Amino acid sequence: MFRLLGNREVPAVGLGCMGMSEFYGAADEATSLQTLNEAFNLGYRHFDTADMYGFGHNETLVGKFINQENINREELFISTKGGIVRDVNDKYNVSVNSTEQYIRAACEASLKRLNTEYIDLYYLHRLDPAIELEESIGTLKALVKEGKIKNIGLCEVSEDQLAKAHQIHPVAAVQSELSLWSRDSEQGVLPLCVELGVAFVAFSPLGRGFLSGSIDKSFMAGVSDDLDFRKRLPRFSEDNIDSNMQLVEKLKGVAERLQAPVSQVALAWVLAKAPNVHIIPGSKTPKYLQNNFDSRLLSLEPNVVEEINTIFSPDAVVGSRYPQKILEKSSA
């Protein structure tokens, strides 16, 4: 299943690289490079990173991957993001900067870390409400004209923001969270993306791993508060995780009938939302690459989709996406 992403058609399943640097426990660079290479050999072509992941480490890692002798850069579709500023003394304290000066500097730094002459898709990681869209999008428009980026993307924007930005310059993609337990985009920006011909790239399509069915109280008890971001998320809290796990158990029943892994069913559900939807599940090791990639081949009948919709009705999920204090400015 190939779908249009900006100026290219790529497999609808890409690889989110964030976890290879931080947020989901410790990662090993040698294993990460092995994972990236195995993903490429399996057919992945869309690789997603950002300048804030690991304070630049993730882009440097992806840069090492794409500059190997066995890799043809032109076969790859590399997306990255700029605009979120992290506090080096408090990694979860972030601010947003969408000024022309900052975005230009961030893009140049990303090009250097990736060791590439161009970025296939460059996102504003978040919009700074203090900066006019004409300045932010105008800067990206200039970067396209200069050949430094091929396509413009936005992250976690409203319908109004997307519509206004798209008038200034065509937006190639919107990246927002979309999964069985994060469905706000279904009635919001996703229909507008379909109307405008904008690709919708779903991050965390497995609910940060929860929808794979492998995360429970005992798993969470064994992860580090400092290394694993999920320790801070309400849906993974001791008070909420059992209720949410009951939903996954019901999904497992559906998956058993379909004779498919539960994670594959969860990913196929996202891909079935619209023909412009892409997913970027992450993986720190090669273990889940094939299973995730094959979700593009799993077709769900309408009655199955409706059954899953009922199981994961928005009011059935317990806990918000993020803690309240970072709800509006947290990272993808």
Side-chain angles (χ1 to χ4, degrees), residues 51-293:
D51 63 358
M52 67 164 285
Y53 301 161
F55 293 93
H57 171 268
N58 204 245
E59 287 184 325
T60 301
L61 173 70
V62 173
K64 290 179 180 179
F65 158 65
I66 69 178
N67 283 282
Q68 296 172 117
E69 290 185 2
N70 63 307
I71 299 297
N72 181 353
R73 171 66 180 92
E74 293 183 0
E75 291 186 50
L76 301 177
F77 191 96
I78 304 298
S79 61
T80 192
K81 316 172 192 75
I84 289 182
V85 186
R86 297 178 69 185
D87 184 343
V88 294
N89 297 312
D90 180 0
K91 63 184 180 181
Y92 294 125
N93 182 28
V94 299
S95 58
V96 180
N97 191 332
S98 298
T99 63
E100 177 180 4
Q101 182 180 11
Y102 184 83
I103 292 302
R104 276 196 168 277
C107 182
E108 292 290 350
S110 291
L111 286 165
K112 185 175 181 179
R113 283 188 291 264
L114 290 164
N115 192 17
T116 186
E117 294 182 355
Y118 63 92
I119 295 164
D120 295 283
L121 174 57
Y122 191 78
Y123 294 96
L124 285 182
H125 210 159
R126 292 296 186 273
L127 289 177
D128 184 346
I131 304 301
E132 294 292 333
L133 266 177
E134 285 79 6
E135 178 177 344
S136 302
I137 303 301
T139 303
L140 297 183
K141 181 178 179 179
L143 291 170
V144 170
K145 188 175 181 180
E146 294 163 20
K148 294 176 180 179
I149 67 177
K150 300 293 186 182
N151 299 279
I152 290 174
L154 301 173
C155 293
E156 297 273 83
V157 291
S158 69
E159 295 157 82
D160 288 344
Q161 288 170 328
L162 171 58
K164 186 175 180 180
H166 198 67
Q167 289 180 338
I168 300 168
H169 186 278
V171 176
V174 167
Q175 186 172 139
S176 287
E177 186 168 359
L178 177 60
S179 72
L180 284 169
W181 73 354
S182 294
R183 299 178 57 180
D184 293 346
S185 298
E186 282 185 279
Q187 305 303 320
V189 75
L190 177 56
L192 181 58
C193 285
V194 173
E195 178 185 334
L196 296 176
V198 175
F200 184 98
V201 180
F203 76 80
S204 294
L206 284 174
R208 302 186 186 275
F210 190 79
L211 301 172
S212 68
S214 59
I215 296 178
D216 54 17
K217 269 186 179 177
S218 62
F219 176 92
M220 292 304 299
V223 301
S224 164
D225 289 26
D226 183 58
L227 293 178
D228 201 311
F229 180 61
R230 290 171 291 195
K231 278 284 197 178
R232 296 169 173 258
L233 302 181
R235 292 176 180 176
F236 291 87
S237 72
E238 188 171 350
D239 292 338
N240 296 334
I241 196 168
D242 284 344
S243 295
N244 289 328
M245 197 65 201
Q246 290 176 16
L247 305 180
V248 177
E249 289 300 321
K250 293 178 182 179
L251 184 65
K252 286 181 178 179
V254 176
E256 287 173 4
R257 293 203 318 267
L258 297 176
Q259 298 183 319
V262 64
S263 57
Q264 210 170 84
V265 174
L267 293 175
W269 178 90
V270 180
L271 287 172
K273 287 289 96 182
N276 65 324
V277 172
H278 297 249
I279 58 174
I280 47 170
S283 185
K284 296 192 297 183
T285 71
K287 181 178 180 181
Y288 303 107
L289 291 175
Q290 184 73 67
N291 181 71
N292 290 347
F293 198 56

Side-chain angles (χ1 to χ4, degrees), residues 304-326:
V304 174
V305 171
E306 186 55 38
E307 180 182 2
I308 296 172
N309 286 342
T310 301
I311 294 171
F312 279 90
S313 61
D315 59 352
V317 178
V318 182
S320 58
R321 283 205 297 156
Y322 295 115
Q324 187 60 40
K325 64 180 181 179
I326 62 170

